[in-house]
Amino acid sequence: MSVVDEVAKRPATRKPPESNSAAKSDGSAERARLRLMMLIRRFEERTVQEYQKAGQKIGGFCHVYSGQEAIAVGISAIFQKGKDQLINGYRCHGHSLALGMPARDCFAELFGKATGCSKGKGGSMHFFDAEAGNNGGHGIVGGHIPVGLGLAFAQKYKNTGGVTFCLFGDGAINQGTHNEALNMASLMKAPVIWIVENNGVAMGTQVERSSAEKDLAERGSGYAMPHYHVDGNDVDTVIEKFGAAVERARKGEGPSYIVADTYRFRGHSMSDAMKYRTKDEMEKAKLRDPITLYEVRLREQGLLTQEQIDQLQEEVSKEVADAVAQADNDPHPQLEDRFDDILAEKYPYQPK
Ligand SMILES: Cc1ncc(C[n+]2csc(CCOP(=O)(O)OP(=O)(O)O)c2C)c(N)n1
């Protein structure tokens, strides 16, 4: 029996939230969300293939997002462009696609091309789109958390009505930056949503071995802010629960701390053989695949047929294949431009 059939057999664990209910919907938003999750998955699986090609087509570290798609897509459903901000760690492909970055700009960045979103100089960990409010991926674990606070402080100071989504992994919550930023955010009532993407493991270290307090949401209680877990594999739940935190922040009531429990299907980065995971654990995780769960739900609600789902899959595969072909044909940056955009001012050490 296929995983899809097996998931379909199981009783629904929850009803979709009211605000998102099929009765009130013509299904177009739900179909778009499923398509976006599929696009991210296909993008990531193709990234793995491209990374493994000879000739170092993709240089440096590369961390894929397969399995965590419901979080990025849920955020994109409530993110207000032109108003809200997002900042992330290094596992940043999914959020960038979800906020509308074209797959071609992403592949071009991975391939080090001048047409990439960071002009080919950032690579996998530095997908950026300032205009879209995407303040990008950051490689130092926990390093971007205070920057997220700064974005939120600016929103409050300038009274923009926007909120900041600041995402980080379970491995980042033991950094000192996390403590300082949460404390200040609460004192300032900054409009920030702290989001722990808890995939249970930091590189190969299980969360039980790195955090003394096993209930990660409890971290928020020490800073007097609402704190809770959500099922990070259920896109409807993400929209509902993150949406509540966003409303609170927009009303000036301050930050929230949300732990989105999820799973990553691939290794930490490309060089990870995942020896810390058992076959049994992986098999169980497949039954909670966010894309399969949503496909089953939309089929049950009569919003999509299996044929239409297959059609969506074909569409995203083509979109990804076309993006790779375009990025392959794009030029590399010019040698004389190599020091541009490194610093806001002119790079002082430029060789003559
Ligand atoms: C300050 C710092 N220490 C160590 C590293 C090496 N490192 C890179 S990723 C990582 C694990 C982070 O895991 P987590 O925050 O859970 O994110 P996930 O990969 O699960 O998304 C570590 C220790 C780093 N990049 N920065």
Side-chain angles (χ1 to χ4, degrees):
M1 184 187 304
S2 77
V3 173
V4 176
D5 293 335
E6 210 165 314
V7 172
K9 248 184 27 199
R10 288 147 35 122
T13 46
R14 61 180 299 286
K15 283 198 185 130
E18 272 299 297
S19 55
N20 203 32
S21 91
K24 291 181 197 156
S25 168
D26 67 355
S28 54
E30 289 82 351
R31 285 192 288 273
R33 283 170 206 150
L34 178 63
R35 188 185 191 284
L36 197 48
M37 287 203 282
M38 287 172 152
L39 176 72
I40 296 171
R41 179 71 57 87
R42 184 68 206 124
F43 178 94
E44 294 295 49
E45 297 308 308
R46 184 68 189 257
T47 294
V48 173
Q49 290 167 1
E50 296 298 315
Y51 195 94
Q52 287 162 345
K53 285 189 179 160
Q56 273 223 318
K57 198 171 171 190
I58 301 176
F61 289 109
C62 184
H63 313 86
V64 301
Y65 195 62
S66 305
Q68 304 183 201
E69 296 87 352
I71 302 171
V73 172
I75 290 172
S76 73
I78 48 180
F79 187 94
Q80 293 187 13
K81 275 216 179 129
K83 209 170 175 188
D84 293 340
Q85 301 288 337
L86 179 144
I87 189 163
N88 200 4
Y90 49 82
R91 202 177 293 285
C92 61
H93 305 171
H95 312 82
S96 300
L97 287 160
L99 291 191
M101 192 181 284
R104 185 252 184 97
D105 299 10
C106 298
F107 278 120
E109 189 56 41
L110 292 175
F111 301 165
K113 300 296 183 82
T115 49
C117 57
S118 296
K119 300 189 187 166
K121 297 179 201 174
S124 163
M125 298 198 284
H126 304 291
F127 284 12
F128 257 84
D129 184 357
E131 256 174 56
N134 178 2
N135 297 275
H138 296 259
I140 301 299
V141 172
H144 68 287
I145 301 178
V147 185
L149 173 63
L151 290 166
F153 175 69
Q155 289 168 322
K156 186 181 166 90
Y157 188 72
K158 295 180 183 164
N159 204 13
T160 66
V163 304
T164 296
F165 295 82
C166 181
L167 300 113
F168 40 89
D170 44 283
I173 68 174
N174 298 313
Q175 293 286 71
T177 53
H178 175 267
N179 170 48
E180 295 173 38
L182 260 67
N183 188 50
M184 279 178 78
S186 204
L187 287 170
M188 289 173 173
K189 287 203 184 306
V192 53
I193 320 301
W194 304 116
I195 299 157
V196 187
E197 293 200 71
N198 177 21
N199 57 25
V201 64
M203 299 184 89
T205 305
Q206 273 81 9
V207 69
E208 299 77 33
R209 294 201 292 137
S210 58
S211 282
E213 169 57 73
K214 310 283 179 274
D215 181 350
L216 302 189
E218 277 303 311
R219 294 299 178 97
S221 92
Y223 304 96
M225 62 180 84
H227 50 280
Y228 43 90
H229 286 260
V230 309
D231 179 352
N233 283 12
D234 183 334
V235 70
D236 285 332
T237 302
V238 169
I239 294 169
E240 182 188 12
K241 298 283 168 62
F242 283 30
V246 166
E247 271 186 32
R248 191 175 179 278
R250 285 203 209 286
K251 279 193 281 180
E253 290 173 17
S256 297
Y257 193 78
I258 308 178
V259 181
D261 295 308
T262 184
Y263 193 86
R264 68 166 151 71
F265 288 133
R266 290 273 178 183
H268 165 70
S269 67
M270 292 301 152
S271 51
D272 177 2
M274 286 212 290
K275 294 207 170 126
Y276 46 89
R277 286 194 162 157
T278 62
K279 210 171 157 227
D280 186 45
E281 179 189 310
M282 300 277 287
E283 288 304 312
K284 277 202 188 111
K286 274 192 211 151
L287 296 173
R288 297 276 315 139
D289 182 323
I291 299 180
T292 314
L293 290 176
Y294 205 48
E295 281 178 8
V296 169
R297 182 175 300 158
L298 296 192
R299 266 189 354 205
E300 282 172 359
Q301 291 174 352
L303 295 176
L304 271 178
T305 62
Q306 187 56 47
E307 233 179 14
Q308 290 168 316
I309 291 171
D310 296 342
Q311 171 75 29
L312 286 181
Q313 191 56 60
E314 265 179 45
E315 272 176 41
V316 299
S317 298
K318 181 171 182 325
E319 188 174 330
V320 166
D322 290 349
V324 170
Q326 287 171 337
D328 271 337
N329 285 323
D330 285 345
H332 281 104
Q334 297 294 309
L335 202 56
E336 57 269 26
D337 298 336
R338 67 198 182 283
F339 293 110
D340 292 352
D341 308 312
I342 305 292
L343 298 175
E345 287 136 30
K346 200 170 160 43
Y347 190 71
Y349 309 112
Q350 192 145 0
K352 298 243 156 42

mmCIF file of all heavy atoms in Angstrom, residues 63 68 90-91 139-141 168-172 175 197 199 201-203 264 268, ligand 1:
data_model
loop_
_atom_site.group_PDB
_atom_site.id
_atom_site.type_symbol
_atom_site.label_atom_id
_atom_site.label_comp_id
_atom_site.label_asym_id
_atom_site.label_seq_id
_atom_site.Cartn_x
_atom_site.Cartn_y
_atom_site.Cartn_z
ATOM 1 N N HIS A 63 22.004 23.321 2.435
ATOM 2 C CA HIS A 63 21.076 22.654 3.364
ATOM 3 C C HIS A 63 19.688 22.698 2.753
ATOM 4 O O HIS A 63 19.185 23.784 2.471
ATOM 5 C CB HIS A 63 21.046 23.388 4.709
ATOM 6 C CG HIS A 63 22.395 23.730 5.256
ATOM 7 N ND1 HIS A 63 23.062 24.878 4.907
ATOM 8 C CD2 HIS A 63 23.200 23.061 6.125
ATOM 9 C CE1 HIS A 63 24.237 24.915 5.542
ATOM 10 N NE2 HIS A 63 24.339 23.829 6.290
ATOM 11 N N GLN A 68 9.865 20.273 5.650
ATOM 12 C CA GLN A 68 9.456 21.385 6.517
ATOM 13 C C GLN A 68 8.587 22.402 5.764
ATOM 14 O O GLN A 68 8.330 23.504 6.254
ATOM 15 C CB GLN A 68 10.707 22.055 7.107
ATOM 16 C CG GLN A 68 11.603 21.075 7.863
ATOM 17 C CD GLN A 68 12.827 21.680 8.548
ATOM 18 O OE1 GLN A 68 13.765 20.959 8.826
ATOM 19 N NE2 GLN A 68 12.836 22.965 8.840
ATOM 20 N N TYR A 90 20.277 29.478 7.912
ATOM 21 C CA TYR A 90 20.874 29.094 6.613
ATOM 22 C C TYR A 90 19.987 28.160 5.793
ATOM 23 O O TYR A 90 20.220 27.969 4.614
ATOM 24 C CB TYR A 90 22.226 28.398 6.864
ATOM 25 C CG TYR A 90 22.075 27.326 7.915
ATOM 26 C CD1 TYR A 90 21.589 26.075 7.599
ATOM 27 C CD2 TYR A 90 22.331 27.616 9.252
ATOM 28 C CE1 TYR A 90 21.379 25.124 8.572
ATOM 29 C CE2 TYR A 90 22.120 26.667 10.233
ATOM 30 C CZ TYR A 90 21.653 25.422 9.884
ATOM 31 O OH TYR A 90 21.420 24.491 10.841
ATOM 32 N N ARG A 91 18.953 27.550 6.411
ATOM 33 C CA ARG A 91 18.101 26.603 5.642
ATOM 34 C C ARG A 91 16.982 27.437 5.010
ATOM 35 O O ARG A 91 15.830 27.391 5.437
ATOM 36 C CB ARG A 91 17.545 25.540 6.594
ATOM 37 C CG ARG A 91 17.107 24.250 5.902
ATOM 38 C CD ARG A 91 16.632 23.209 6.910
ATOM 39 N NE ARG A 91 17.673 22.706 7.777
ATOM 40 C CZ ARG A 91 18.620 21.844 7.435
ATOM 41 N NH1 ARG A 91 18.616 21.330 6.218
ATOM 42 N NH2 ARG A 91 19.551 21.467 8.292
ATOM 43 N N GLY A 139 24.356 32.358 8.106
ATOM 44 C CA GLY A 139 25.096 31.125 8.372
ATOM 45 C C GLY A 139 25.518 30.895 9.805
ATOM 46 O O GLY A 139 25.781 29.759 10.192
ATOM 47 N N ILE A 140 25.586 31.942 10.605
ATOM 48 C CA ILE A 140 26.042 31.770 11.997
ATOM 49 C C ILE A 140 24.836 31.416 12.856
ATOM 50 O O ILE A 140 23.885 32.195 12.964
ATOM 51 C CB ILE A 140 26.709 33.054 12.536
ATOM 52 C CG1 ILE A 140 27.908 33.439 11.657
ATOM 53 C CG2 ILE A 140 27.141 32.891 13.986
ATOM 54 C CD1 ILE A 140 29.011 32.407 11.582
ATOM 55 N N VAL A 141 24.885 30.238 13.447
ATOM 56 C CA VAL A 141 23.719 29.760 14.198
ATOM 57 C C VAL A 141 23.374 30.757 15.320
ATOM 58 O O VAL A 141 24.216 31.062 16.163
ATOM 59 C CB VAL A 141 23.979 28.345 14.776
ATOM 60 C CG1 VAL A 141 22.867 27.925 15.723
ATOM 61 C CG2 VAL A 141 24.125 27.341 13.644
ATOM 62 N N PHE A 168 14.403 30.120 13.355
ATOM 63 C CA PHE A 168 15.682 29.487 13.681
ATOM 64 C C PHE A 168 15.423 28.043 14.089
ATOM 65 O O PHE A 168 14.280 27.649 14.336
ATOM 66 C CB PHE A 168 16.420 30.263 14.785
ATOM 67 C CG PHE A 168 15.527 30.768 15.893
ATOM 68 C CD1 PHE A 168 15.269 29.982 16.997
ATOM 69 C CD2 PHE A 168 14.929 32.026 15.814
ATOM 70 C CE1 PHE A 168 14.440 30.433 18.017
ATOM 71 C CE2 PHE A 168 14.098 32.487 16.831
ATOM 72 C CZ PHE A 168 13.858 31.687 17.931
ATOM 73 N N GLY A 169 16.503 27.267 14.158
ATOM 74 C CA GLY A 169 16.344 25.846 14.472
ATOM 75 C C GLY A 169 16.424 25.567 15.953
ATOM 76 O O GLY A 169 16.797 26.441 16.754
ATOM 77 N N ASP A 170 16.112 24.323 16.327
ATOM 78 C CA ASP A 170 16.192 23.927 17.734
ATOM 79 C C ASP A 170 17.634 24.026 18.247
ATOM 80 O O ASP A 170 17.862 24.193 19.443
ATOM 81 C CB ASP A 170 15.662 22.501 17.921
ATOM 82 C CG ASP A 170 16.177 21.549 16.858
ATOM 83 O OD1 ASP A 170 15.648 21.594 15.716
ATOM 84 O OD2 ASP A 170 17.121 20.798 17.130
ATOM 85 N N GLY A 171 18.597 23.971 17.336
ATOM 86 C CA GLY A 171 20.004 24.081 17.743
ATOM 87 C C GLY A 171 20.393 25.503 18.101
ATOM 88 O O GLY A 171 21.416 25.709 18.758
ATOM 89 N N ALA A 172 19.593 26.475 17.670
ATOM 90 C CA ALA A 172 19.971 27.881 17.889
ATOM 91 C C ALA A 172 19.480 28.414 19.227
ATOM 92 O O ALA A 172 19.940 29.468 19.683
ATOM 93 C CB ALA A 172 19.405 28.750 16.760
ATOM 94 N N GLN A 175 21.907 29.473 22.156
ATOM 95 C CA GLN A 175 22.873 30.551 21.951
ATOM 96 C C GLN A 175 22.494 31.746 22.840
ATOM 97 O O GLN A 175 21.305 32.013 23.037
ATOM 98 C CB GLN A 175 22.863 31.018 20.493
ATOM 99 C CG GLN A 175 23.366 29.991 19.499
ATOM 100 C CD GLN A 175 24.876 29.841 19.581
ATOM 101 O OE1 GLN A 175 25.388 29.305 20.552
ATOM 102 N NE2 GLN A 175 25.575 30.290 18.578
ATOM 103 N N GLU A 197 11.912 26.228 14.235
ATOM 104 C CA GLU A 197 11.611 25.101 13.338
ATOM 105 C C GLU A 197 12.283 23.880 13.970
ATOM 106 O O GLU A 197 13.470 23.619 13.748
ATOM 107 C CB GLU A 197 12.134 25.371 11.936
ATOM 108 C CG GLU A 197 11.385 26.504 11.264
ATOM 109 C CD GLU A 197 11.529 26.473 9.750
ATOM 110 O OE1 GLU A 197 10.950 25.585 9.112
ATOM 111 O OE2 GLU A 197 12.225 27.347 9.218
ATOM 112 N N ASN A 199 13.110 20.488 14.026
ATOM 113 C CA ASN A 199 13.155 19.221 13.285
ATOM 114 C C ASN A 199 13.834 18.140 14.115
ATOM 115 O O ASN A 199 14.216 17.095 13.609
ATOM 116 C CB ASN A 199 13.818 19.413 11.911
ATOM 117 C CG ASN A 199 15.216 19.987 12.009
ATOM 118 O OD1 ASN A 199 15.890 19.837 13.028
ATOM 119 N ND2 ASN A 199 15.663 20.641 10.953
ATOM 120 N N VAL A 201 16.689 17.824 15.544
ATOM 121 C CA VAL A 201 18.106 17.520 15.514
ATOM 122 C C VAL A 201 18.894 18.725 14.981
ATOM 123 O O VAL A 201 18.454 19.403 14.062
ATOM 124 C CB VAL A 201 18.326 16.223 14.690
ATOM 125 C CG1 VAL A 201 17.941 16.397 13.254
ATOM 126 C CG2 VAL A 201 19.706 15.675 14.804
ATOM 127 N N ALA A 202 20.025 18.988 15.637
ATOM 128 C CA ALA A 202 20.938 20.032 15.156
ATOM 129 C C ALA A 202 22.162 19.311 14.618
ATOM 130 O O ALA A 202 22.897 18.703 15.383
ATOM 131 C CB ALA A 202 21.322 20.969 16.293
ATOM 132 N N MET A 203 22.364 19.349 13.341
ATOM 133 C CA MET A 203 23.326 18.490 12.652
ATOM 134 C C MET A 203 22.991 17.046 13.066
ATOM 135 O O MET A 203 21.965 16.544 12.674
ATOM 136 C CB MET A 203 24.773 18.880 12.948
ATOM 137 C CG MET A 203 25.075 20.306 12.502
ATOM 138 S SD MET A 203 26.763 20.828 12.707
ATOM 139 C CE MET A 203 27.488 20.351 11.181
ATOM 140 N N ARG A 264 13.011 16.767 9.163
ATOM 141 C CA ARG A 264 13.635 16.967 7.843
ATOM 142 C C ARG A 264 13.961 15.604 7.230
ATOM 143 O O ARG A 264 14.499 14.732 7.899
ATOM 144 C CB ARG A 264 14.842 17.902 7.905
ATOM 145 C CG ARG A 264 16.052 17.399 8.621
ATOM 146 C CD ARG A 264 17.274 18.278 8.316
ATOM 147 N NE ARG A 264 18.250 18.309 9.375
ATOM 148 C CZ ARG A 264 19.046 17.301 9.712
ATOM 149 N NH1 ARG A 264 18.978 16.133 9.099
ATOM 150 N NH2 ARG A 264 19.917 17.452 10.690
ATOM 151 N N HIS A 268 21.553 16.939 7.330
ATOM 152 C CA HIS A 268 21.754 18.338 7.715
ATOM 153 C C HIS A 268 22.246 19.147 6.509
ATOM 154 O O HIS A 268 21.719 20.192 6.180
ATOM 155 C CB HIS A 268 22.774 18.417 8.853
ATOM 156 C CG HIS A 268 23.305 19.787 9.058
ATOM 157 N ND1 HIS A 268 22.532 20.799 9.578
ATOM 158 C CD2 HIS A 268 24.508 20.348 8.765
ATOM 159 C CE1 HIS A 268 23.248 21.910 9.608
ATOM 160 N NE2 HIS A 268 24.441 21.657 9.117
HETATM 161 C C1 LIG B 1 27.871 29.888 15.955
HETATM 162 C C2 LIG B 1 27.900 28.627 15.133
HETATM 163 N N1 LIG B 1 28.280 27.475 15.730
HETATM 164 C C3 LIG B 1 28.314 26.323 15.011
HETATM 165 C C4 LIG B 1 27.967 26.331 13.676
HETATM 166 C C5 LIG B 1 27.958 25.035 12.903
HETATM 167 N N2 LIG B 1 26.596 24.597 12.655
HETATM 168 C C6 LIG B 1 26.020 24.810 11.474
HETATM 169 S S1 LIG B 1 24.468 24.276 11.451
HETATM 170 C C7 LIG B 1 24.498 23.742 13.020
HETATM 171 C C8 LIG B 1 23.303 23.078 13.656
HETATM 172 C C9 LIG B 1 22.115 23.988 13.794
HETATM 173 O O1 LIG B 1 20.948 23.258 13.936
HETATM 174 P P1 LIG B 1 19.520 23.902 14.044
HETATM 175 O O2 LIG B 1 19.640 25.267 14.611
HETATM 176 O O3 LIG B 1 18.647 22.949 14.772
HETATM 177 O O4 LIG B 1 19.038 24.093 12.548
HETATM 178 P P2 LIG B 1 18.565 23.022 11.472
HETATM 179 O O5 LIG B 1 19.791 22.665 10.700
HETATM 180 O O6 LIG B 1 17.975 21.895 12.208
HETATM 181 O O7 LIG B 1 17.594 23.701 10.573
HETATM 182 C C10 LIG B 1 25.755 23.982 13.565
HETATM 183 C C11 LIG B 1 26.136 23.614 14.945
HETATM 184 C C12 LIG B 1 27.586 27.567 13.092
HETATM 185 N N3 LIG B 1 27.219 27.648 11.812
HETATM 186 N N4 LIG B 1 27.538 28.692 13.834
#
